[in-house]
Amino acid sequence: MLVSAREMTAAARAGHYAIGAFNLNNLEWTKSVLKAAQEMQAPVIVQCSEGAGKYMAGYKTVADMVNDVIASQGITVPVALHLDHGSYEGCLKCIDAGFSSIMFDGSHFPIDENIEKTKELVAKAHEHGMSIEAEVGGIGGEEDGVVSQGECADPDECKLIADLGVDFLACGIGNIHGKYPANWAGLRFDVLEAIKAKVGDMPLVLHGGSGIPTEMIQKAISLGVSKVNVNTECQIAFAEATRKYIEAGKDLEGKGFDPRKLLAPGAAAIVDCVKEKIEIFGSAGKA
Ligand code: 13P
């Protein structure tokens, strides 16, 4: 059964570790992420962007798939199914589709509009026992066609949004979706500290978790980050393993073209990637 991400992120906040939130792309991803979490005995958030939701034939399909994999694979660790960077309408759809958590990304709206819409969705999510994430400031780079310059969040605005009763808050601190450029200046710990000083114990979310050096991730966790989002690194791991299989000509040997064989190395690479992240985030054994 899916659970809200409220308790797991609050426990992570209190215990100074972070929950891994891994984006889903298909059935292989779903099986691999849940297998890794189960083997590590880690509570986990599986999330899907609006684009990935469309790709997977709609939110209801995603919710059914995640629920069915949990049941059929004997997954017993707490699992939350979360909408990543949702629009207002997307959030309403995921409430209906049986997700257990939503993110409303109103960061591109003027702050008053972000506040107003976030407030409405906090009420709706909590009515359904779901957790809700909101965002202040921009996460740089491109996620599913949404491009942002990545401006750091204003700590006072973070406080205004946190006070609406959101369960965890994403704030731009120099983090970027996708690959980090060679000249990336790193996370702005000064901004993170200023935000934490305003919002107190509110669990914070670090988007763009792929490619951030381990020490930086762990420092961010020590300063209040309780959920770390990872997408690109799993995609790269999957693509690299699949490329290796094909370049070695394995698809041409016997029945190596069978998708169950062709996709197996990539699926195994996702399991390894997720396990490594769970270890770094400190959530292993916290289920
Ligand atoms: P990465 O793809 O950079 O890991 O970012 C994932 C993310 O933040 C999803 O919201």
Side-chain angles (χ1 to χ4, degrees):
M1 204 191 73
L2 295 170
V3 298
S4 139
R6 181 188 177 87
E7 288 73 23
M8 62 171 87
T9 49
R13 176 76 203 88
H16 306 287
Y17 59 94
I19 305 293
F22 301 95
N23 288 68
L24 299 181
N25 291 286
N26 58 20
L27 178 60
E28 274 68 27
W29 247 262
T30 308
K31 283 164 61 182
S32 296
V33 173
L34 293 178
K35 178 179 162 71
Q38 181 69 23
E39 288 180 8
M40 298 296 280
Q41 282 297 295
V44 73
I45 298 171
V46 288
Q47 56 188 18
C48 123
S49 64
E50 298 209 337
K54 239 183 242 161
Y55 177 77
M56 289 186 274
Y59 299 126
K60 171 81 168 49
T61 310
V62 176
D64 288 348
M65 172 176 67
V66 172
N67 274 311
D68 291 347
V69 172
I70 289 173
S72 72
Q73 305 302 295
I75 305 296
T76 54
V77 296
V79 179
L81 174 58
H82 181 71
L83 172 65
D84 189 27
H85 292 285
S87 61
Y88 190 92
E89 298 71 28
C91 285
L92 296 184
K93 284 185 189 162
C94 287
I95 291 173
D96 281 347
F99 277 44
S100 63
S101 188
I102 50 173
M103 172 187 188
F104 170 60
D105 182 355
S107 61
H108 48 285
F109 291 122
I111 186 67
D112 288 346
E113 197 173 345
N114 190 0
I115 289 175
E116 190 191 318
K117 291 191 159 84
T118 300
K119 194 173 168 184
E120 285 173 29
L121 288 167
V122 165
K124 288 189 202 295
H126 288 171
E127 227 171 77
H128 290 80
M130 301 166 75
S131 45
I132 177 165
E133 172 180 349
E135 179 170 325
V136 180
I139 314 298
E142 187 247 316
E143 171 91 349
D144 253 338
V146 181
V147 179
S148 164
Q149 291 315 310
E151 96 234 25
C152 280
D154 172 345
D156 289 316
E157 291 187 359
C158 289
K159 168 91 175 123
L160 290 173
I161 297 277
D163 284 351
L164 301 175
V166 301
D167 299 292
F168 31 99
L169 180 68
C171 39
I173 52 166
N175 40 335
I176 298 173
H177 286 128
K179 288 184 178 175
Y180 282 83
N183 63 351
W184 179 52
L187 293 177
R188 289 281 306 272
F189 292 114
D190 56 328
V191 176
L192 180 55
E193 275 172 320
I195 293 168
K196 192 187 166 339
K198 293 278 179 186
V199 304
D201 276 341
M202 163 71 52
L204 299 172
V205 183
L206 182 64
H207 282 245
S210 296
I212 301 180
T214 299
E215 324 76 69
M216 265 194 213
I217 297 245
Q218 289 178 337
K219 183 165 179 190
I221 292 172
S222 76
L223 293 174
V225 163
S226 314
K227 171 178 181 271
V228 183
N229 289 5
V230 177
N231 187 12
T232 302
E233 268 191 64
C234 290
Q235 296 187 348
I236 292 172
F238 178 85
E240 266 174 9
T242 309
R243 172 196 295 273
K244 219 165 130 193
Y245 181 88
I246 290 180
E247 284 184 349
K250 300 241 193 243
D251 57 319
L252 303 173
E253 287 169 14
K255 278 206 148 210
F257 53 82
D258 177 340
R260 278 173 271 169
K261 294 197 170 108
L262 181 66
L263 300 179
I270 298 171
V271 174
D272 291 346
C273 179
V274 171
K275 282 185 169 178
E276 194 185 306
K277 294 297 168 195
I278 284 173
E279 197 65 57
I280 292 171
F281 303 160
S283 61
K286 306 289 189 189

